[in-house]
Amino acid sequence: MAAHLIAEEGPLRGLILDLQEGDDWIVGRDPDESDFIIEDSTVSRKHARLTKAPEGIYLKNVSRINPTLINGEVHEERVLLKEGDRVQIGNTTFLFSEEDVPNVEAPKKPKSKKKKKAEYDNIFGSLEEEEPPPPLVESEKPAPPEEEPVTEPLVEHKESEPNAYDTIFDDVGAESEIPFNMISEAPLLLKVISGPNAGAEIGIEKGRTYILGKDPNSCDIVFQDLSVSRNHARLHVSPDGILQIEDLGSKNGTVVNGQPILERSTVTPQDMISLGTTVFLIIDREAPQETIYSPIAPHFEAPRAEEPEEAPVLEEAPTPPAEFKDWKREKIPLKYLVGGGSALFVLLIVFLSFFSLFKSEQIQLVKKEPVEEISEALKKFAAVKFSFNPASGKIFLVGHVVSPIEYQEMRYNIDQIPFISSVEDTVVIDELVSKSINDALVTNSAWQGVNVSSPEAGKFIVTGYLPTNADAQRLSDYLTMNFPYLDKLSNQVAVEENLTTQISALFVAHGFGSLSFQLSNGEVIISGPYSDKMESELKDVVKQLNALSGIHGVKNFAVAAHPDSVGIDVSQQYQVSGSSSFDGHGYSVVLNGRIYTLGDLVDGMKITSIESNTILLEKDGLKYKINYTR
């Protein structure tokens, strides 16, 4: 059985599309492109495609202006038609059936392909009009239209550039279907008031960019105007409804209120925008509507009469009666003049006395420049910079503040400036940055003593204590990879391994090798004996310890003792078999069978003193002692 589409409702009721011959059919109103021609202004040039397959007939919608409906629904993919399906094409609803119907065919295009294009087009391109075929009836089959003769103009058509030379002076073969009324409930409305598309209304959404031109393949809004370029202009709509338009190098340019624009310009709902001969304006539906003056409104003059009309005859004013008196010519009595003058004089005295109570000073109005007023509002926030555009009233802020309270205060100062229409900022709140990085550091047990803080806007300091240099290197690597403002970070983390070396060297340099110390989270605890003769030197060492970076406290538990009891005891390594003295002081001693005098070296240790029961030695700042009995 042969499949058919039978028109049940609409202006083409009774029309039958026979799907018996062929495997692929295009339905539309273009006789050069369509196999079944539908004479309906709501039908696209190529509206739908029918394809025969072993399992049946498939239908796919190809119109983006007025989609084909299958059982009242729009389908993006092709759909296998079933017996009884209803297909709406334009204003006509067809019934799909595979049962036998009377032999009535729909109008088809001629068997020949598209008409041969003329070798030369005139300067406006080939604009041959298509004569629509006569209305169809069920019992008639339309004859194919005759091909029109091709004329050859004298002027050779040159291929135009893609954008700058594609208007009325070049090819005009672009698709003429225009997606007007795209968004019926949009907050903004583009209304065409002059040109080929006068009266068209197009919904405009906020936060989008639209390309305006006559090319339906690349433009969001298409105009059927030969003077409009393929890609003529770009319309930017910000999320807050600010409109900006820029020309895309069109042939005839973009004009706002009669002035051509050379760069992106801000427009308002009162501005007239011209693209070639098309004039439109953009209406804000959410704003109160006002009457808009049209600069292109026609001007009418009253017709002049061929011959001057006779001047009307004025009737003479009636003569006043004899008893009537002109008050202007009457004399005012003297007593009235004296009384009125006295009253005016008293009022003058009262007026002057009242204003003499006040001391007047000239009021000077100081008009500040916009940049100066903005700088004054941001005076307290030295780490915040700004960029202001006077044309749009838009300000851009960048920089740092310490806390959220400071940020709120800064924004309040900016919001009080009346000429600023919108604010964009990338201002960083340093306390939030510090909190974020500290929350990450605390998850590592080795870094729990490390903290990042912001003492002032735009400056970060990392402090704390780590046991080894390896831990410090791992922390440095982590901050390099994860801290966003590394150039503003000062690393002041103290490494206990380095501090221990510094403290030991300080003790040895001042002769306190007998003392021991303990370092914990920046605090130094000193213990052990020291010579009571070096008490002042020990105080100086404590001051130097407090000055070291990373040390925040010193506790001194060292005990002053006699020099004989101070030093490292090495008595077990040496045997003293005798000693001698001179002038009351020890002079020589016998150690392990060898004689040493004051100042000699014993295994690298210099003998500094020989007492009656003790030999004192020193090596590399450390003190040693050898106890013996005579």
Side-chain angles (χ1 to χ4, degrees), residues 400 458-461 479-480 483-491:
H400 293 259
K459 181 179 292 186
F460 299 90
I461 298 176
L479 293 176
T480 301
F483 194 73
Y485 309 104
L486 200 61
D487 58 326
K488 302 181 184 299
L489 179 65
S490 175
N491 191 343

Side-chain angles (χ1 to χ4, degrees), residues 25-30 33-34 36 38 40-50 59-69 87-92 177:
W25 306 271
I26 298 294
V27 181
R29 61 182 176 85
D30 189 342
E33 297 288 345
S34 304
F36 294 106
I38 305 297
D40 187 346
S41 60
T42 62
V43 175
S44 301
R45 294 180 182 276
K46 296 171 63 175
H47 202 97
R49 182 166 191 163
L50 298 163
L59 186 145
K60 178 175 177 57
N61 172 59
V62 295
S63 173
R64 62 186 179 91
I65 307 302
N66 190 13
T68 304
L69 301 181
V87 179
Q88 182 176 344
I89 300 177
N91 292 325
T92 304
E177 294 182 32

Side-chain angles (χ1 to χ4, degrees), residues 38 124 202 221 265-266 401 480 486 513 524 533 551 591 627:
I38 305 297
F124 297 97
I202 308 170
I221 299 177
S265 302
T266 302
V401 294
T480 301
L486 200 61
V524 180
K533 297 180 181 180
I551 302 297
L591 295 174
N627 297 323

Side-chain angles (χ1 to χ4, degrees), residues 15 22 125 128 150 169 173 206 210 311 350 361 451 493 506 630:
L15 178 66
E128 297 174 354
V150 179
F169 305 97
K206 295 182 179 180
Y210 296 87
V350 173
E361 293 183 359
N451 181 68
V493 175
L506 187 62
R630 292 179 179 267

